[in-house]
Amino acid sequence: MRLLGIETSCDETGIAIYDDEQGLLSHALYSQVKLHADYGGVVPELASRDHVRKIIPLIKQAMADADTTAEQLDGIAYTAGPGLVGALLVGACVGRSLAFAWDKPAVAVHHMEGHLLAPMLEEVPPPFPFVALLVSGGHTMLVQVDGIGQYQMLGESIDDAAGEAFDKTAKLMGLDYPGGPLLSRLAQQGHSGRFTFPRPMCDRPGLDFSFSGLKTFAANTIAAEDDSEQTRADIARAFEDAVVGTLAIKCRRALKQTGLNRLVVAGGVSANRHLRAELKVMMDKLNGEVFYPRNEFCTDNGAMIAYAGLQRLKAGETQPLAVKGQPRWPLDSLEKPGS
């Protein structure tokens, strides 16, 4: 079975062809970072318009790279939510229209299910069950995963997601957009221990996250200190230490609560080297395993959508002609494929 996957939930247009016997045949990605850099963040209307411009050329490119024709496809998967509604509708309309024109079934995919299943694209995929930490610019959540579509929400952010807090703190420090990776790079030059930032919501039971207060703490520290490069690096290090420490503490709690010893980490922040090092130390102590997607599949991409869609198409799930984008769509509202 071979699927075309389309991802347009935010500011990256991702297209991929995935075959359940041959694996990933091609993937193409266009990032809108330069488009939004002047505004310091994603402008939804500009994002939607750029998806319109790029999506068809990228589909043609991915089809050519995979040496695949429309006749060889068994279906089309597209991201239906959550995300920016205009961006979602571009991918949904194109995906559903191509499926109709080519007489193929269409599958609507949950964006976070795509991220959650992205490590399944690797040579050594994680076996079920496991705890998943989904951590990106828009989401931070812990999920118990017993199988595809079998998700129990353990905890989530009640305000800013971790990636969002990274970007906003980077902006406070005068770093360019997107600031999260630049802040992490600056933190590598910082000295740990000069500043100590709080680990929010770790002094109480539970697995929810809150990073808005940490961002405010960083803002106050920046305002109170000198603007030397070393001070900036030390503040960046303290901020990253706090985020990574908080994520690690909550992951440990989730593993203890569920009795599991496998952890999957996915989403844009999962590429953070400090986070990976911290979780490796933690999982080694717990005699457990931690799994990640490769770096290029940590951020939004079409490959994860094609894979997730294929699993649901195999179980007989298809979408009617009506096109629907869901800006908000709880992950734990999904059902097991075929149920």
Side-chain angles (χ1 to χ4, degrees), residues 75-329:
I76 298 175
Y78 58 86
T79 303
L84 303 176
V85 65
L88 291 169
L89 286 175
V90 174
C93 287
V94 170
R96 194 62 194 83
S97 297
L98 287 177
F100 178 75
W102 292 342
D103 193 25
K104 306 292 181 181
V107 185
V109 175
H110 192 291
H111 179 71
M112 298 312 295
E113 182 172 53
H115 275 303
L116 190 152
L117 298 178
M120 300 297 181
L121 294 163
E122 303 305 314
E123 288 187 9
V124 183
F128 299 112
F130 54 78
V131 169
L133 170 66
L134 302 180
V135 57
S136 66
H139 303 272
T140 303
M141 60 182 72
L142 281 163
V143 186
Q144 179 175 331
V145 181
D146 295 318
I148 295 176
Q150 298 174 272
Y151 310 133
Q152 179 184 342
M153 191 68 64
L154 302 174
E156 59 188 323
S157 181
I158 61 174
D159 42 54
D160 289 353
E164 185 180 6
F166 263 103
D167 286 340
K168 288 181 177 179
T169 301
K171 190 172 183 178
L172 290 171
M173 300 183 73
L175 300 175
D176 291 336
Y177 172 84
L182 297 179
L183 187 149
S184 293
R185 198 174 307 156
L186 181 61
Q188 293 176 27
Q189 312 303 318
H191 302 305
S192 183
R194 178 181 173 187
F195 300 104
T196 301
F197 282 25
R199 274 56 173 166
M201 295 186 71
C202 291
D203 58 349
R204 68 191 75 175
L207 295 171
D208 286 336
F209 301 91
S210 171
F211 292 107
S212 64
L214 186 61
K215 176 191 63 184
T216 302
F217 193 96
N220 292 337
T221 304
I222 293 167
E225 298 294 331
D226 65 78
D227 197 35
S228 69
E229 191 63 20
Q230 188 58 56
T231 294
R232 285 159 49 83
D234 292 343
I235 291 173
R237 178 61 186 269
F239 176 82
E240 186 174 69
D241 283 348
V243 174
V244 168
T246 300
L247 294 174
I249 289 169
K250 295 300 178 80
C251 284
R252 180 189 288 270
R253 285 185 187 175
L255 292 166
K256 182 178 180 181
Q257 178 177 310
T258 59
L260 300 173
N261 68 346
R262 281 188 293 271
L263 178 67
V264 161
V265 187
V269 182
S270 69
N272 183 282
R273 290 189 293 178
H274 187 179
L275 177 63
R276 292 194 176 205
E278 187 82 8
L279 292 179
K280 183 181 187 307
V281 171
M282 183 189 81
M283 295 307 290
D284 285 346
K285 290 180 179 178
L286 296 176
N287 294 316
E289 297 177 278
V290 59
F291 299 84
Y292 303 91
R294 70 195 79 166
N295 279 357
E296 62 189 315
F297 294 153
C298 288
T299 53
D300 297 348
N301 63 87
M304 67 183 192
I305 302 304
Y307 179 86
L310 187 143
Q311 309 312 310
R312 292 193 170 272
L313 183 59
K314 276 183 173 180
E317 286 192 21
T318 59
Q319 295 305 121
L321 276 175
V323 174
K324 183 180 180 182
Q326 300 186 66
R328 298 184 183 276
W329 188 3

Side-chain angles (χ1 to χ4, degrees), residues 32-43:
Q32 300 176 2
V33 165
K34 291 182 179 179
L35 174 67
H36 301 288
D38 290 343
Y39 304 95
V42 177
V43 181

Side-chain angles (χ1 to χ4, degrees), residues 13 30 32 35 46-55:
T13 312
Y30 176 78
Q32 300 176 2
L35 174 67
L46 294 181
S48 302
R49 291 176 181 272
D50 217 37
H51 285 307
V52 171
R53 284 191 289 266
K54 300 296 183 181
I55 189 168

